[in-house]
Amino acid sequence: MMRYLPHTPKDIESMLAAVGVKDLDGLFASIPEDCRRDDPLDLPTLTEWELNAHMDKLAAQTVSWDTHRIFAGAGSYHHFIPEAARHVLSRSEFVTAYTPYQPEMSQGTLQGIFEYQTLVCRLLGMEVANASLYDGASALAEALLMAIRIGRTKKKTVAVSDLVNPYYRKVVETYFKPTDFKVETIPHKADGTADLDAIAAIDDLAGVAVQSPNFFGCVEDLQAAGEAIHARGAVFITAFSEPLAYGLLKTPGQQDADIVCGEGQSLGLSQSFGGPGVGIFTAKQKYVRNMPGRLVGQTLDADGQRGFVLTLSTREQHIRREKATSNICSNQSLCAMAAGIYMATLGGTGFRELAALNRDKAEYLKQALGATGLELPFARPTFNEFVVKFPKGFDAKWQTLLEEKKIMCGVPLVCYYPELADHYLLCVTETKSREDLDMLVKEVQP
Amino acid sequence: MNEFVGTQGLILNEPLLWERGRQGRTGYSLPTRDVDPAPLDDAVAGEGPDFPDLSEVEIVRHYTRLSQWNYGVDSGMYPLGSCTMKYNPKTNERQAALPGFAGSHPLVPSELCQGALRLIYELEHYLAHVSGLDAVAVQPAAGAQGELAGMLIFAAYHRDQGSSRSKILIPDTAHGTNPASAALCGYQSVPLKTGPEGVLTPEAVEALMDEDTAGLMVTNPNTLGLFETHTRKIADIVHAKGGLIYADGANMNAVMGVVDFGKAGIDVLHINLHKTFSTPHGGGGPGAGPVCVTRQLEPFLPAPRVVKTGAAFRLSEDFPKSIGKLNAFYGNFGVLVRAYSYILSLGTHLKDVSQHAVLNANYIKEKLKDIYHLPFDKPCMHECVFTDKHLEAHKVSTLDLAKRLIDYGFHPPTIYFPLVVQGAIMIEPTESESRENIDQFIATMRAIHREAEDDAERLTGAPRNTKVRRLDETTAARKPVLRG
Ligand SMILES: Cc1ncc(COP(=O)(O)O)c(C=O)c1O
């Protein structure tokens, strides 16, 4: 007996008789010997309480914000998730449904995603958002491929700022490797922003991506970037890993971005060792038919009532097959729901206040560290992440803090930028109290 | 039980979020402000988003009402072919929510995330064992990204062999993601015709396989619910020309404990954890599409990978031939936790899962084939495919049947797929359904058939018991309204 399998031996016997097969193995008669396994399955089988004990043990061998004070972001952020949001998200009608192929019995998912698309557009100042992609990294890769499609594949080069999250850039590399398109890297300036002068030297430019706030936490001048990029006739893509920043900052849409994409984990999703997050993807209306992924649209039913459906699917793999705008099928729908619920829970007033708190706390720590004489190498405004240069040999101290004080003092940038030894990327969200910040200053001051 | 499940409940109206609320409300407990506001440069400052302000009660009611317009596996039978809508065990949710998993930052040093790394490592080994292949990477975020990983591995392998090939053979029964994934790698798809028995023939492959063809992508069991009986022979043909075989393992639920994909000659396989391994589909993800390969192709797997030295686990990037990274971090880890928990809960019962899934599909096939047209009348695997041929005379279609099933309280099967079967009705009951539920589904399908004969309007006017009736999809696409 196994609790997920309802058939009794009697059920099986009578059903086999109806099928006209002697035993369960007889159901597999069509499988030839040269495809059959020789050995039986050899796997542990645990009871529910044994499983709990085993999983508790594994989970206890991984640190979390519960056990450590982690001042690290770099694409994964610890924000408080309200219980009400968590609760409604766990409604099994949302959790255990498939993609809404039958709209009459999926209006909950469909309206929820339509609302998500709308709130995301309002957050980023954009005209259309899709129902989600896998994560911020693959969203950026898809955005660059879309830029090439917009240029009717005549222009074969895209350029990406080296201050785009290095992991996103790696994923872009993976997606582009088998194509005959090229990815160029744009260097950065001393103030911690992309050096758009570099694109002048790149020919055949279909699209350019910058991230804001960028990997150093600095807010880019998107207006100027867009002007430079549009002057080259290229598609202007902006990426992000911390969407909460747009509670305070000018939107990319306001600054004429053509495609805005990034990671939405901050919006009500747990960090979960890096996934699942949600790839947010938005564009100007005129590019909608070039977009990857699913779209929910509003329509009317046979009685004239408002309802929602998946739409513009002639872009997609199940209709267009090899000519589709992307291969994506299942996306991160439940995570998009979570993001929608989270944005709705905060509301406009709450979202802005929370964003302000993130920045104010980060700014408090930044100024306090600066006041101890530590170098803050980049002058541009920042949101909830910033770079600090520590004295030579800080790596040992960083390790000690982690092991002895359970403090993770940021992410070492030297792993991504070999020239930036002793530079660390720190992150402060609303989850850190002033006490936490004062404590960190005390621990690291030179 | 003679009563049908479908009934009319109390359906509550609920407007869009921004048609509710009042400015100045919030559903969020804002943290105490313990630092002073820091001025922000006007040049970068914006106005903040125009979101509606709602209280916690309004949020909870809003989403509760929306959820009541939805139907999930927890509501009832969901025989959506090719999607394996099995029960999603609740214990899996508990495990994924443990603070050490849900609350962990992906960039902590390996010594501090041994539990998470061990879970990935062991899951990869379990999946290798179940599939019969040698090595697995769980990074891909869904089936289609698993396919992309597989195609990238094909391309990297051929590059490594000093060759470049431009084509890929894809059967006409394939899911749309297969040709789309191949196209992302620059491969031109060459359609391969399914034989008269509903499976590929070695002759058809022999005729098209050449040295400019990277290999073959095959779904096995295929999307007609049939096992590709010539897989081994076809693999030999493809291998003889230097090609590779990719198996789309979306239908793995039929063959656990029975088929050895390695022995069958498969080089690369992807598995959908959100199908076979019980992780909830979430209304369209998140899923996970681990990619499994032979020893020969292991160097090409996506990195970083978890490696074990002694008793310690660590993430390693040291795979120079790797196709690279597909996700910012390590894939949909929360989904991996659920699949791992499922495997440990079932263990060797995974074979029973496949047996029951196949039994249920064959039982439905036998009980309906006298009235619904069965294009391939032979034993099936985990799903059976009917058509609407016998309904045509009554001027009703597969779509009408699907909509009428909704009124009776069932999620419809997959319809109009695979494309090679006109008016396809693809039924996958999974192992989760009891004999009683299946009998009730069969009785419903038979009742609908009688209605088609006597009163077709009941089908063409369906559904009637839902929040909304049939929706105007044409106008939705012609004049798209994509935000409010
Ligand atoms: C046969 C087959 N292959 C591939 C896929 C794609 O999987 P996913 O939706 O996880 O990307 C599906 C899912 O519908 C499928 O049925």
Side-chain angles (χ1 to χ4, degrees), chain A residues 98 329-330, chain B residues 82 142-144 147 175 177 219 223 248 250 272 274-275:
Chain A
Y98 202 76
C329 180
S330 295
Chain B
S82 204
E147 294 170 24
H175 193 257
T177 49
T219 307
T223 61
D248 177 330
N272 290 41
H274 46 299
K275 297 181 180 177

mmCIF file of all heavy atoms in Angstrom, chain A residues 98 329-330, chain B residues 82 142-144 147 175 177 219 223 248 250 272 274-275, ligand 1:
data_model
loop_
_atom_site.group_PDB
_atom_site.id
_atom_site.type_symbol
_atom_site.label_atom_id
_atom_site.label_comp_id
_atom_site.label_asym_id
_atom_site.label_seq_id
_atom_site.Cartn_x
_atom_site.Cartn_y
_atom_site.Cartn_z
ATOM 1 N N TYR A 98 -2.797 23.356 -14.339
ATOM 2 C CA TYR A 98 -1.838 23.422 -15.442
ATOM 3 C C TYR A 98 -1.933 24.808 -16.091
ATOM 4 O O TYR A 98 -2.708 25.672 -15.663
ATOM 5 C CB TYR A 98 -2.132 22.311 -16.472
ATOM 6 C CG TYR A 98 -0.919 21.969 -17.320
ATOM 7 C CD1 TYR A 98 0.119 21.198 -16.800
ATOM 8 C CD2 TYR A 98 -0.804 22.424 -18.626
ATOM 9 C CE1 TYR A 98 1.246 20.899 -17.554
ATOM 10 C CE2 TYR A 98 0.328 22.123 -19.391
ATOM 11 C CZ TYR A 98 1.350 21.362 -18.854
ATOM 12 O OH TYR A 98 2.462 21.065 -19.611
ATOM 13 N N CYS A 329 7.646 27.088 -22.999
ATOM 14 C CA CYS A 329 6.300 26.535 -22.890
ATOM 15 C C CYS A 329 5.881 26.797 -21.445
ATOM 16 O O CYS A 329 5.376 27.872 -21.137
ATOM 17 C CB CYS A 329 6.357 25.051 -23.258
ATOM 18 S SG CYS A 329 4.797 24.188 -23.185
ATOM 19 N N SER A 330 6.132 25.878 -20.518
ATOM 20 C CA SER A 330 5.912 26.199 -19.105
ATOM 21 C C SER A 330 6.839 27.352 -18.740
ATOM 22 O O SER A 330 8.004 27.347 -19.116
ATOM 23 C CB SER A 330 6.275 25.005 -18.221
ATOM 24 O OG SER A 330 5.399 23.945 -18.488
ATOM 25 N N SER B 82 -0.162 14.239 -22.013
ATOM 26 C CA SER B 82 1.191 14.754 -22.178
ATOM 27 C C SER B 82 1.619 15.629 -20.999
ATOM 28 O O SER B 82 2.768 16.048 -20.946
ATOM 29 C CB SER B 82 1.334 15.546 -23.491
ATOM 30 O OG SER B 82 2.675 15.552 -23.890
ATOM 31 N N ALA B 142 12.774 24.014 -17.107
ATOM 32 C CA ALA B 142 11.530 23.382 -17.563
ATOM 33 C C ALA B 142 11.906 22.421 -18.677
ATOM 34 O O ALA B 142 13.087 22.338 -19.059
ATOM 35 C CB ALA B 142 10.546 24.429 -18.078
ATOM 36 N N GLY B 143 10.891 21.720 -19.196
ATOM 37 C CA GLY B 143 11.153 20.762 -20.255
ATOM 38 C C GLY B 143 11.838 21.412 -21.445
ATOM 39 O O GLY B 143 12.844 20.913 -21.955
ATOM 40 N N ALA B 144 11.309 22.535 -21.887
ATOM 41 C CA ALA B 144 11.864 23.176 -23.075
ATOM 42 C C ALA B 144 13.314 23.612 -22.850
ATOM 43 O O ALA B 144 14.133 23.552 -23.764
ATOM 44 C CB ALA B 144 11.016 24.373 -23.482
ATOM 45 N N GLU B 147 15.396 20.614 -23.234
ATOM 46 C CA GLU B 147 15.602 20.333 -24.660
ATOM 47 C C GLU B 147 16.698 21.223 -25.220
ATOM 48 O O GLU B 147 17.560 20.767 -25.979
ATOM 49 C CB GLU B 147 14.326 20.604 -25.454
ATOM 50 C CG GLU B 147 13.174 19.674 -25.130
ATOM 51 C CD GLU B 147 11.873 20.160 -25.771
ATOM 52 O OE1 GLU B 147 11.930 20.901 -26.773
ATOM 53 O OE2 GLU B 147 10.804 19.798 -25.255
ATOM 54 N N HIS B 175 6.205 17.383 -29.894
ATOM 55 C CA HIS B 175 5.722 18.597 -29.250
ATOM 56 C C HIS B 175 6.405 19.798 -29.891
ATOM 57 O O HIS B 175 7.567 19.711 -30.302
ATOM 58 C CB HIS B 175 6.096 18.510 -27.767
ATOM 59 C CG HIS B 175 5.411 19.515 -26.912
ATOM 60 N ND1 HIS B 175 6.032 20.648 -26.455
ATOM 61 C CD2 HIS B 175 4.149 19.552 -26.412
ATOM 62 C CE1 HIS B 175 5.176 21.344 -25.714
ATOM 63 N NE2 HIS B 175 4.043 20.703 -25.672
ATOM 64 N N THR B 177 7.807 22.342 -28.763
ATOM 65 C CA THR B 177 9.074 22.801 -28.171
ATOM 66 C C THR B 177 10.268 22.110 -28.829
ATOM 67 O O THR B 177 11.346 22.693 -28.862
ATOM 68 C CB THR B 177 9.115 22.519 -26.660
ATOM 69 O OG1 THR B 177 8.737 21.158 -26.427
ATOM 70 C CG2 THR B 177 8.187 23.439 -25.908
ATOM 71 N N THR B 219 10.260 11.496 -28.890
ATOM 72 C CA THR B 219 9.560 11.440 -27.608
ATOM 73 C C THR B 219 9.174 9.987 -27.389
ATOM 74 O O THR B 219 8.565 9.378 -28.262
ATOM 75 C CB THR B 219 8.311 12.336 -27.649
ATOM 76 O OG1 THR B 219 8.715 13.633 -28.063
ATOM 77 C CG2 THR B 219 7.644 12.424 -26.294
ATOM 78 N N THR B 223 3.856 10.841 -28.461
ATOM 79 C CA THR B 223 2.673 11.616 -28.069
ATOM 80 C C THR B 223 1.364 10.954 -28.520
ATOM 81 O O THR B 223 0.297 11.477 -28.249
ATOM 82 C CB THR B 223 2.754 13.051 -28.617
ATOM 83 O OG1 THR B 223 2.798 12.982 -30.036
ATOM 84 C CG2 THR B 223 3.991 13.769 -28.114
ATOM 85 N N ASP B 248 12.873 13.036 -25.653
ATOM 86 C CA ASP B 248 12.037 13.914 -24.841
ATOM 87 C C ASP B 248 11.338 12.993 -23.848
ATOM 88 O O ASP B 248 10.534 12.147 -24.235
ATOM 89 C CB ASP B 248 11.038 14.622 -25.772
ATOM 90 C CG ASP B 248 10.052 15.518 -25.032
ATOM 91 O OD1 ASP B 248 9.719 15.223 -23.867
ATOM 92 O OD2 ASP B 248 9.596 16.511 -25.637
ATOM 93 N N ALA B 250 9.171 13.626 -21.544
ATOM 94 C CA ALA B 250 7.950 14.166 -20.933
ATOM 95 C C ALA B 250 7.012 13.043 -20.509
ATOM 96 O O ALA B 250 6.201 13.220 -19.600
ATOM 97 C CB ALA B 250 7.246 15.094 -21.915
ATOM 98 N N ASN B 272 10.707 15.834 -17.124
ATOM 99 C CA ASN B 272 9.967 16.951 -16.535
ATOM 100 C C ASN B 272 9.616 16.601 -15.088
ATOM 101 O O ASN B 272 8.768 15.749 -14.853
ATOM 102 C CB ASN B 272 8.675 17.202 -17.313
ATOM 103 C CG ASN B 272 8.945 17.766 -18.691
ATOM 104 O OD1 ASN B 272 9.866 17.329 -19.375
ATOM 105 N ND2 ASN B 272 8.172 18.742 -19.097
ATOM 106 N N HIS B 274 8.001 18.397 -13.144
ATOM 107 C CA HIS B 274 6.633 18.868 -12.909
ATOM 108 C C HIS B 274 5.611 17.973 -13.589
ATOM 109 O O HIS B 274 4.431 18.314 -13.636
ATOM 110 C CB HIS B 274 6.486 20.329 -13.350
ATOM 111 C CG HIS B 274 7.086 20.622 -14.706
ATOM 112 N ND1 HIS B 274 8.409 20.455 -14.978
ATOM 113 C CD2 HIS B 274 6.539 21.074 -15.848
ATOM 114 C CE1 HIS B 274 8.653 20.784 -16.241
ATOM 115 N NE2 HIS B 274 7.529 21.158 -16.792
ATOM 116 N N LYS B 275 6.045 16.875 -14.144
ATOM 117 C CA LYS B 275 5.101 15.872 -14.632
ATOM 118 C C LYS B 275 5.356 14.609 -13.820
ATOM 119 O O LYS B 275 4.703 14.361 -12.816
ATOM 120 C CB LYS B 275 5.309 15.636 -16.134
ATOM 121 C CG LYS B 275 5.018 16.888 -16.952
ATOM 122 C CD LYS B 275 5.190 16.683 -18.445
ATOM 123 C CE LYS B 275 4.873 17.987 -19.172
ATOM 124 N NZ LYS B 275 5.078 17.886 -20.604
HETATM 125 C C1 LIG C 1 6.020 15.973 -25.079
HETATM 126 C C2 LIG C 1 6.405 17.251 -24.444
HETATM 127 N N1 LIG C 1 7.649 17.745 -24.636
HETATM 128 C C3 LIG C 1 8.044 18.908 -24.073
HETATM 129 C C4 LIG C 1 7.198 19.667 -23.288
HETATM 130 C C5 LIG C 1 7.672 20.997 -22.755
HETATM 131 O O1 LIG C 1 7.832 20.999 -21.385
HETATM 132 P P1 LIG C 1 7.794 22.355 -20.555
HETATM 133 O O2 LIG C 1 6.416 22.888 -20.651
HETATM 134 O O3 LIG C 1 8.185 21.959 -19.195
HETATM 135 O O4 LIG C 1 8.785 23.277 -21.169
HETATM 136 C C6 LIG C 1 5.898 19.191 -23.061
HETATM 137 C C7 LIG C 1 4.978 19.960 -22.203
HETATM 138 O O5 LIG C 1 3.870 20.253 -22.455
HETATM 139 C C8 LIG C 1 5.486 17.965 -23.651
HETATM 140 O O6 LIG C 1 4.251 17.494 -23.465
#
